[in-house]
Amino acid sequence: MKKDIIRLAIADDETLFRQGITFILDKEKNIEICIQAENGNDLIKQLHQTDNLPDVILMDLKMPDLNGVETTKIVRKEFPDIKIIALTSYYSKPFIMNMMKQGSVAYLAKNASPSEVIHTINQVAIKGFYYDDNVMSVLEEVSIKNYGKSKEPEEYLTRREREVLKLICEQKTTTEIADLLFISPRTVEGHRNNLLVKTGSKNIAGLVIHAIENQIFVSNVEL
């Protein structure tokens, strides 16, 4: 299932790349490109000037004047409902961890295929975040290195909350979680809201990072 219309902004100082990705995405019936910005300052200016904010931003990390990392911080503060996909040529652990911490909800390498870009945009629109296997592996590796392998699940989370959190980490939708746990989507939303409050996470991506860092979730391991 895809979100009906996804309003998308693209922030990238490379004109050829920006126009190329626009050409590709314009062919997608459910994606509407509403902003093209050449750097962070340009993006912030356009966001303040529009009455119809984008749902998702493709954010290049390396831009002049105001880079993607600093721009992400500003967007997260001033426009918290906009979801940010980090876009970079540097698919490295430090970049991934830093952008996840700053609030990006997905990470794309610039050499990703058009189908990967489209898939990521749709997944972010539907679920609120999308971490591919490479990103999940990096998060888990850093978690194990920094926090150790034996940390117990946090006691203030109920069994049901941990079940919901595990399924969120497995990137299940609200409807899929409801079906798997035999509860209503509204109940799933309630558990998710409780998880956000209890963990102090600002969004679903933050929940995933919290779960991995605290060893509440490890791939292929039951809670």
Side-chain angles (χ1 to χ4, degrees):
M1 183 182 73
K2 294 182 179 180
K3 189 178 185 293
D4 290 340
I5 296 295
I6 304 168
R7 291 178 56 80
L8 180 73
I10 302 173
D12 195 297
D13 64 304
E14 297 179 20
T15 303
L16 186 61
F17 179 86
R18 193 172 65 246
Q19 293 180 348
I21 197 70
T22 296
F23 177 78
I24 292 170
L25 296 178
D26 269 341
K27 297 178 181 180
E28 296 298 305
K29 293 181 179 180
N30 71 315
I31 296 177
E32 174 189 330
I33 298 175
C34 57
I35 290 176
Q36 291 190 53
E38 60 186 20
N39 56 51
N41 286 323
D42 185 22
L43 174 66
I44 298 300
K45 179 181 178 181
Q46 292 192 56
L47 290 176
H48 280 292
Q49 291 176 340
T50 184
D51 293 326
N52 295 302
L53 291 170
D55 302 301
V56 180
I57 297 173
L58 280 180
M59 181 82 75
D60 184 25
L61 296 188
K62 189 177 181 181
M63 296 185 290
D65 298 330
L66 188 66
N67 65 39
V69 178
E70 294 304 315
T71 306
T72 295
K73 293 178 183 179
I74 295 172
V75 172
R76 291 295 305 140
K77 181 179 180 180
E78 298 186 8
F79 308 95
D81 292 334
I82 300 177
K83 299 171 181 65
I84 298 173
I85 299 174
L87 186 65
T88 182
S89 302
Y90 305 101
Y91 206 90
S92 64
K93 295 175 188 177
F95 273 93
I96 291 174
M97 290 304 299
N98 189 37
M99 286 306 293
M100 297 302 105
K101 290 290 188 182
Q102 298 306 329
S104 64
V105 298
Y107 197 97
L108 270 174
K110 278 197 168 182
N111 63 356
S113 68
S115 62
E116 287 177 302
V117 175
I118 293 166
H119 178 71
T120 299
I121 292 170
N122 279 298
Q123 290 299 303
V124 165
I126 294 168
K127 302 174 184 176
F129 81 105
Y130 177 68
Y131 293 165
D132 64 19
D133 291 341
N134 289 332
V135 173
M136 290 295 285
S137 296
V138 168
L139 291 174
E140 290 181 3
E141 180 182 336
V142 173
S143 170
I144 291 172
K145 184 180 297 183
N146 292 342
Y147 296 90
K149 300 180 180 181
S150 61
K151 191 164 185 177
E152 294 297 323
E154 302 195 28
E155 294 181 358
Y156 60 81
L157 300 183
T158 67
R159 176 69 185 182
R160 179 62 88 191
E161 286 168 347
R162 291 198 297 272
E163 288 174 339
V164 170
L165 183 53
K166 179 178 185 293
L167 292 170
I168 288 173
C169 291
E170 292 176 356
Q171 311 202 49
K172 305 295 185 184
T173 65
T174 296
T175 301
E176 290 171 336
I177 294 172
D179 291 342
L180 287 166
L181 298 181
F182 303 102
I183 57 180
S184 71
R186 179 173 293 185
T187 301
V188 174
E189 294 289 350
H191 286 308
R192 181 155 50 211
N193 290 336
N194 288 340
L195 285 164
L196 289 168
V197 172
K198 287 185 175 182
T199 64
S201 301
K202 295 181 179 179
N203 53 29
I204 301 303
L207 270 182
V208 176
I209 293 174
H210 178 91
I212 293 173
E213 285 187 342
N214 289 277
Q215 298 292 289
I216 298 171
F217 172 81
V218 179
S219 296
N220 301 318
V221 175
E222 293 294 330
L223 293 176

